[in-house]
Amino acid sequence: MKRTPFYQKHVDLGGKMVEFAGFEMPVQYPKGIIAEHKAVREGVGGVFDVSHMGEFDVAGPNALKFLQTITTNDVSALVPGGAQYSSLPNEQGTLLDDLIVYMLEPDHYMVVVNGATADKDWAWFSKQASKFNVKLRNDSDAFALLAVQGKGVKDILQTLTSTNLDEIEYYHFTRGRLADTDMIIARTGYTGEPGYELFFSSAPEISSKVWDKLFEAGKAKGLEPIGLGARDTLRLEMGYCLYGNDITEETNPLEAGLGWITKLNKSIECLAFPALREIKEKGLSRKLVGITTDEKGAIMRHGHKIVDENGYTIGEVTSGNLSPMLNKSIALGYVPTALSKDGSEVLVEVRPGKRVKAVVHKPPFVRPEVK
Amino acid sequence: MTFPSDLKYTKDHEWLRVEGTTGYIGITDYAQGELGDVIYLDLKDGVTVNAHESLGTIEAVKTVSDLYSPVSGKVLEAHTPLNDSPETVNRDPYGEGWLVKLELTNPSEAETLLSVEEYKKLIGQ
């Protein structure tokens, strides 16, 4: 199993290490998932090690054409210093991954993909690239990546850099020096809170220095290390998709509510668009929706069946948990299109024989000020 | 982590405190740490169980786990006040975080359970 450059930091902090995406990662630290969640949502903020994620460097005169062909969003809308959420479909129109494209300079991009899919994505990128004149480089092992998220993190990070962080807009980035280290400082994240993602060298002495300086600057103010457990509950409260749960090779971006990053009219066609147009014309049979229940003790979870009043399965929960902020269960799941409107009532089987009433609710479930 | 020496333990990480013919059951400090934040308890009241049968479920943020009865008996009380403060199971697993009060069918069954030393060895403490 692989380890990120911060493995020893997690162990020293009492992190509970689990296997995730082929890495030994902290699912939580001693304070626990709910406390970590609240530290990010209500407190100063937290630091997430997301170095397991993959980074691909795409360069060359055909880089734009290549990325337009393999991703669903319109890459031509990006300017240098801009970032774009997008998805990676196959020719059938189902999803290999979701990702973020960062435009470094003309003809030069960085693509950040999920850790669990990085190898599969790399094979797909390499295969597709053979038709284009582009240079690909897999930088996944070269980068350490920390997400620093929460309302107070900007002030903490500002003490470590001369780059004016106020000038980095949402979904933009800059190259700068922070904690005496060259890095990409991106205003992106997966929590719904204001925050940054920092890409820098995974060399042990460098990554260790950045981690230490972050906590030297932030610990007294309440900056906390955050594990995968709270990462999941934070993104769930925002209704952000998790690849492998809510979107998979069995789902297409239109039914997953990712039509906003599927620009069917863009100037250079994506390889999935013929299939996606066909799907769109036929009409969607199901949609990914947010679901809440007020029933106490009924925690909706991945894999729970969504049933009608006769017990007939009509859908499935793809992600679910307790919302630490609402103190009730929230979920994402697929339901028939007819039941996808806000306020539609469904039943979720939370245990064999135990069905609870739940209501379709358009995410986010909480409304923090991300931008 | 603490493990009181006056309790009996199981390999499923439950503890049993015997008071005459009554037994109190909960989960160990190790178990609450592994589960993480407990958010809901679904405990069976009034039922009669054999050893190793389910007394209900413990729901944590991470996962749902069964609670197995260490011994045979009849449930006298499921500790329902915990449903207003399930985090008590994390904070005080041997005290206010007890889960089920049992009338023991055969108090000598407790002798078959693990001693504190045996349990600590099991979890590598």
Side-chain angles (χ1 to χ4, degrees):
Chain A
M1 219 181 320
K2 291 207 260 185
R3 290 176 175 178
T4 78
F6 307 107
Y7 172 82
Q8 197 55 46
K9 304 284 185 197
H10 303 317
V11 172
D12 292 345
L13 286 163
K16 193 177 294 297
M17 306 305 285
V18 299
E19 193 277 337
F20 184 78
F23 285 80
E24 282 182 85
M25 300 292 281
V27 65
Q28 66 166 80
Y29 300 90
K31 288 184 182 173
I33 294 172
I34 292 175
E36 291 171 28
H37 182 109
K38 290 182 174 174
V40 175
R41 198 64 95 214
E42 298 181 314
V44 164
V47 178
F48 306 70
D49 176 11
V50 280
S51 305
H52 62 297
M53 296 188 79
E55 293 87 6
F56 303 158
D57 188 274
V58 182
N62 275 337
L64 172 63
K65 199 174 173 193
F66 168 68
L67 290 173
Q68 287 284 53
T69 305
I70 66 166
T71 66
T72 55
N73 210 336
D74 184 1
V75 188
S76 73
L78 275 176
V79 293
Q84 181 182 70
Y85 180 57
S86 190
S87 74
L88 186 72
N90 56 30
E91 288 101 336
Q92 291 75 48
T94 61
L95 291 174
L96 298 166
D97 205 358
D98 62 344
L99 49 78
I100 297 181
V101 179
Y102 296 79
M103 186 173 182
L104 302 171
E105 57 207 9
D107 303 328
H108 192 188
Y109 299 84
M110 174 173 77
V111 180
V112 178
V113 303
N114 279 297
T117 47
D119 291 344
K120 177 184 81 170
D121 292 355
W122 178 248
W124 179 258
F125 268 63
S126 303
K127 181 183 162 198
Q128 298 300 325
S130 64
K131 302 167 197 159
F132 296 86
N133 180 23
V134 290
K135 263 186 237 148
L136 288 185
R137 194 178 64 225
N138 191 338
D139 286 338
S140 302
D141 292 338
F143 274 116
L145 174 54
L146 293 177
V148 189
Q149 305 272 303
K151 294 170 185 71
V153 303
K154 188 179 75 185
D155 291 344
I156 293 167
L157 293 176
Q158 193 64 75
T159 66
L160 297 171
T161 181
S162 58
T163 298
N164 185 353
L165 297 177
D166 276 326
E167 288 175 4
I168 310 173
E169 289 175 44
Y170 188 56
Y171 262 75
H172 285 72
F173 67 94
T174 191
R175 292 181 205 247
R177 219 169 149 72
L178 189 150
D180 297 331
T181 304
D182 292 323
M183 59 176 72
I184 291 172
I185 306 167
R187 186 76 194 280
T188 46
Y190 195 45
T191 61
E193 294 300 325
Y196 301 85
E197 291 183 307
L198 310 176
F199 299 82
F200 49 94
S201 167
S202 64
E205 65 282 5
I206 295 174
S207 48
S208 178
K209 178 179 71 179
V210 173
W211 178 279
D212 290 342
K213 282 183 177 287
L214 270 177
F215 281 99
E216 275 166 30
K219 191 159 189 251
K221 291 175 179 140
L223 189 70
E224 293 283 342
I226 312 294
L228 293 172
R231 180 171 162 80
D232 191 49
T233 51
L234 285 158
R235 70 92 195 170
L236 183 61
E237 281 186 339
M238 293 304 294
Y240 295 156
C241 288
L242 172 64
Y243 190 83
N245 280 31
D246 314 304
I247 47 177
T248 68
E249 286 184 46
E250 309 297 320
T251 65
N252 68 63
L254 303 176
E255 64 191 3
L258 298 178
W260 65 280
I261 58 162
T262 307
K263 299 289 165 58
L264 293 170
N265 298 321
K266 67 181 179 180
S267 55
I268 299 170
E269 182 86 343
C270 167
L271 53 80
F273 283 2
L276 288 175
R277 279 197 199 92
E278 200 173 311
I279 289 167
K280 195 176 179 181
E281 276 157 30
K282 273 190 196 161
L284 299 172
S285 60
R286 59 175 192 172
K287 284 188 181 173
L288 184 67
V289 296
I291 304 166
T292 66
T293 180
D294 288 326
E295 286 201 37
K296 208 163 155 49
I299 306 298
M300 301 179 283
R301 292 186 188 271
H302 173 73
H304 286 170
K305 301 251 179 290
I306 300 171
V307 300
D308 66 13
E309 58 273 25
N310 299 317
Y312 183 73
T313 301
I314 55 169
E316 192 174 70
V317 172
T318 51
S319 292
N321 210 321
L322 175 85
S323 159
M325 303 313 298
L326 302 175
N327 202 27
K328 65 181 187 180
S329 182
I330 58 173
L332 296 174
Y334 284 93
V335 298
T337 303
L339 288 172
S340 63
K341 283 207 181 70
D342 238 27
S344 299
E345 289 180 7
V346 294
L347 295 169
V348 177
E349 196 162 284
V350 295
R351 276 187 278 284
K354 182 168 181 184
R355 294 171 192 157
V356 298
K357 280 186 192 164
V359 178
V360 171
H361 176 102
K362 192 173 160 54
F365 298 102
V366 299
R367 297 196 178 275
E369 289 162 25
V370 58
K371 293 175 191 176
Chain B
M1 277 188 283
T2 59
F3 303 97
S5 55
D6 59 332
L7 304 181
K8 295 302 239 177
Y9 296 86
T10 74
K11 62 175 174 48
D12 295 321
H13 312 289
E14 288 104 9
W15 56 259
L16 173 74
R17 173 183 291 119
V18 178
E19 294 178 3
T21 57
T22 303
Y24 288 85
I25 293 162
I27 63 170
T28 67
D29 201 2
Y30 174 81
Q32 69 78 19
E34 287 297 304
L35 273 176
D37 296 318
V38 172
I39 53 178
Y40 183 70
L41 300 154
D42 187 15
L43 303 172
K44 296 171 184 171
D45 204 350
V47 297
T48 299
V49 294
N50 292 317
H52 314 303
E53 285 183 354
S54 177
L55 289 168
T57 56
I58 304 168
E59 187 133 19
V61 176
K62 267 185 287 181
T63 187
V64 188
S65 173
D66 274 298
L67 175 71
Y68 296 105
S69 188
V71 290
S72 313
K74 180 170 188 278
V75 177
L76 296 173
E77 188 182 346
H79 199 191
T80 48
L82 289 179
N83 272 333
D84 293 324
S85 57
E87 68 279 3
T88 307
V89 179
N90 296 110
R91 208 184 53 238
D92 189 12
Y94 304 112
E96 279 308 301
W98 66 269
L99 298 172
V100 167
K101 185 178 171 186
L102 211 62
E103 185 183 326
L104 303 176
T105 308
N106 178 4
S108 66
E109 261 183 329
E111 299 311 311
T112 65
L113 301 178
L114 303 178
S115 68
V116 67
E117 288 78 16
E118 288 165 327
Y119 181 68
K120 280 160 98 168
K121 198 173 163 193
L122 177 83
I123 58 169
Q125 284 281 309

